[in-house]
Every structure is written in structure tokens, then in C-alpha cells.
Amino acid sequence: MALQDVCKWQVPDTQGLSPHLPEAGGWAVPQGCDPQTFLQIYGPRLAHGTTTLAFRFRHGVIAAADTRSSCGSYVACPASRKVIPVHRHLLGTTSGTSADCVTWYRVLQRELRLRELREGQLPSVAGTAKLLSTMMSRYRGLDLCVATALCGWDHSGPALFYVYSDGTCLQGDIFSVGSGSPYAYGVLDRSYHYDMTIQEAYTLARCAVAHATHRDAYSGGSVDLFHVQESGWEYVSRSDAYVLYMELQKAPGLEQEREPERKQEREPEQEQEQEAEVSQVCPGPATPQDAAGGGELFVEPEEVTAEDDRIRVKTEMI
């Protein structure tokens, strides 16, 4: 017996207009753009970018990300959330297609809840990363785009894993994903160390994302900062990326870090100036070419002693 016979369900009329869809001309598209032209240009594939990062240190795991969701040259949402909590001791950064990331995190939350009910405890961060990579690897080659960094705390302490939609699963101390990741890696590689304090870790994460948003057109908005500790994850702050970047430019610590670089840049110039001054004070030795050119050689007179006079007299007598 069919479902419609039991539930008295009727197939909806797909020919008519749906009451849940906006009327013609009511779609949210950029001003000055024709909807059909916009969909033809950006419809099949929309370029997207982001800046997310995570690093592990003595006091837990730091996760940070910008908040700009882009569709090509169009900013779809300036205040999206790219760090998604999974449970009390686990969260993950999202990079790729927003719909794919949100969908797979919902699937992961469901699977972890079922594991907890069956086994009486949640799996470790490593087990969670392996589970997610195994589930997504079945859809390899189907344009699934999910790149995430799982940040958590389990019985082994702070843990960090990178998972990609093709089944890649890597463990590490520093990961940055997205179009702005090269700029974020530049800041992280310079200042990261495992024994940093909590405030140093907060400053480093904010600085890395803020510099990436300044250089990467697809990243921007604000900077979300999360901290995973033994007691659970904590939402630290959301800061405007542009204001944060300008504050970092004026910070005295940044000027002190730049001073050695500026000193190295000035050293070659100072050496050249010193060489020029020495050449003016102590000119080089005269050469026969200088005399042939009409110049006169200056020979300093030697001091004549009594012994020299006796030798000269004996020479004349001989």
C-alpha cells in the first residue's frame, strides 16, 4: 500500500508558485545586477575563501577564524560563524563550501551522540577525526569541499587534527586553512612556541587572522576566538578585523619586533657611507698613469742624518 493511501497525502502542485518563495524580483541579489545574468556568471561555481587557524600549546588549543562568507566577488554574509562546537570538549573550524561544512558537522554530532549512548563515553579526538574522514572519503570526486581542523581535549590532553573531504587526516600542532592561510602561517611560524602563556596565544591568534584579512580579499569581517581547555571550550571574543589590524600596527611590541629588521636594512647603507668617507680622507696611491696625465707626483722629503752625510762624503772621495 502506498504512503499516500495510508496518510491521505497528496503530491503538491509543483507547477504553481510556492508560498514559501519570494515573488519575481524579490530575490536578494547585488544592486545593479540582473538576476539572470548574475546566476549565469556565478551560478555553477562560486569562488570562496576564508582564513581559519588552530594551534596546540601547553594550556589547550586555540581556534580562530574570520567571519566573511564570500561568493565570488559578492560578500554573502559578513558575520558568519566558522568555528562550530561539536560537544563540550570538541569544536572545529570550517573552510570550503558552507553548506557542506554545516551538513557534515550535523552528521558528526549525531554519530558521536549515538556512540556515547552505545558505549557510555565519547570517542577521543583522534577517533572523531578518523570517523569524519572515513565518512567523507566515500564521496570523493563528487565536488564535496570540507576542510576542517578538529580541536579538542581528551584523556591524552590537548589534541589537534586536520581533516579534508578526500579522506585526509593529519595530526599536528599548527594548522591554517583557507585562502588567507599563507599570510596566517607567516605570523604563526614567526611567533609560535609551545610554552607560551594564554594571553600570548590569544594575541598571536588575533594577529595572524587580522594580518590575513588585510591581505586576502576573501577574508574579512571580524575575528572569532575560541579556547579549548580541560574544562571545555570557551568563546573568548569577537573583534573587528580592521580595528584589530590598526591597533596591532600601533602596538609598541610590534615596533620592537620590527626594529632588528630595520637595523639590518640600515647596516648596508651605513657601511657604504663609511667607505665613502674613508675614500675622501685617505685617497688611493698615485699611479704612473696619473703622472702621464699631466699631474705631478708629490714626494715627501726625507730627513737627512749625520751618518748619511759621512756615507755621501766617502762615496764622492772614491
Side-chain angles (χ1 to χ4, degrees):
M1 184 177 293
L3 180 63
Q4 57 265 30
D5 296 333
V6 177
C7 303
K8 305 300 181 182
W9 177 76
Q10 300 294 329
V11 178
D13 183 15
T14 57
Q15 301 297 329
L17 294 176
S18 172
H20 303 290
L21 296 177
E23 299 179 357
W27 295 96
V29 296
Q31 296 182 358
C33 291
D34 179 50
Q36 294 183 355
T37 305
F38 180 80
L39 292 176
Q40 289 176 358
I41 298 175
Y42 300 102
R45 291 180 179 273
L46 294 174
H48 47 266
T50 184
T51 300
T52 64
L53 63 87
F55 59 86
R56 188 173 68 97
F57 71 118
R58 180 177 296 276
H59 301 284
V61 184
I62 298 294
D66 72 310
T67 61
R68 174 178 294 177
S69 293
S70 55
C71 295
S73 57
Y74 178 59
V75 178
C77 180
S80 61
R81 180 66 60 85
K82 298 182 182 180
V83 181
I84 301 179
V86 180
H87 57 73
R88 183 58 189 161
H89 291 84
L90 181 67
L91 51 80
T93 64
T94 59
S95 177
T97 305
S98 299
D100 292 341
C101 293
V102 173
T103 300
W104 279 103
Y105 265 97
R106 289 178 180 174
V107 174
L108 181 63
Q109 290 172 349
R110 181 195 65 192
E111 293 295 327
L112 293 181
R113 178 58 177 162
L114 292 175
R115 287 283 188 92
E116 184 181 14
L117 293 175
R118 292 179 189 138
E119 303 174 3
Q121 63 180 0
L122 289 167
S124 63
V125 181
T128 303
K130 184 64 176 178
L131 174 63
L132 181 61
S133 65
T134 302
M135 291 189 299
M136 292 193 299
S137 63
R138 303 172 185 173
Y139 298 89
R140 184 183 303 171
L142 298 179
D143 289 339
L144 180 65
C145 186
V146 177
T148 179
L150 289 174
C151 316
W153 192 299
D154 53 19
H155 61 276
S156 61
L160 177 61
F161 286 83
Y162 167 76
V163 180
Y164 188 57
S165 51
D166 63 354
T168 302
C169 183
L170 302 173
Q171 183 180 9
D173 291 332
I174 303 175
F175 288 114
S176 182
V177 189
S179 57
S181 60
Y183 311 108
Y185 269 127
V187 178
L188 291 173
D189 291 340
R190 179 179 180 180
S191 304
Y192 169 80
H193 59 93
Y194 185 80
D195 295 326
M196 65 176 63
T197 64
I198 294 178
Q199 292 301 324
E200 288 176 347
Y202 290 172
T203 303
L204 176 61
R206 292 191 184 103
C207 182
V209 179
H211 278 75
T213 58
H214 181 71
R215 295 296 181 183
D216 181 35
Y218 292 100
S219 304
S222 302
V223 180
D224 281 338
L225 184 63
F226 287 78
H227 184 195
V228 183
Q229 307 178 67
E230 187 176 4
S231 59
W233 60 265
E234 176 189 359
Y235 181 39
V236 179
S237 66
R238 169 173 284 193
S239 308
D240 185 88
Y242 177 76
V243 175
L244 185 60
Y245 178 79
M246 298 306 297
E247 291 177 354
L248 291 172
Q249 292 295 105
K250 300 176 182 178
L254 188 61
E255 294 296 327
Q256 294 176 2
E257 291 179 359
R258 289 182 174 180
E259 187 61 28
E261 297 180 358
R262 294 175 180 173
K263 186 178 180 180
Q264 292 178 358
E265 294 176 356
R266 290 195 299 264
E267 284 180 356
E269 298 178 358
Q270 293 177 354
E271 291 179 358
Q272 293 178 359
E273 293 177 357
Q274 291 177 358
E275 291 178 358
E277 292 176 357
V278 170
S279 61
Q280 292 177 1
V281 175
C282 302
T287 61
Q289 288 79 3
D290 296 333
E296 296 182 357
L297 294 178
F298 174 76
V299 180
E300 185 177 357
E302 298 180 356
E303 183 178 357
V304 180
T305 62
E307 184 67 23
D308 294 335
D309 290 339
R310 286 194 296 269
I311 293 172
R312 182 168 56 81
V313 171
K314 290 181 180 179
T315 304
E316 291 177 355
M317 292 175 62
I318 293 172

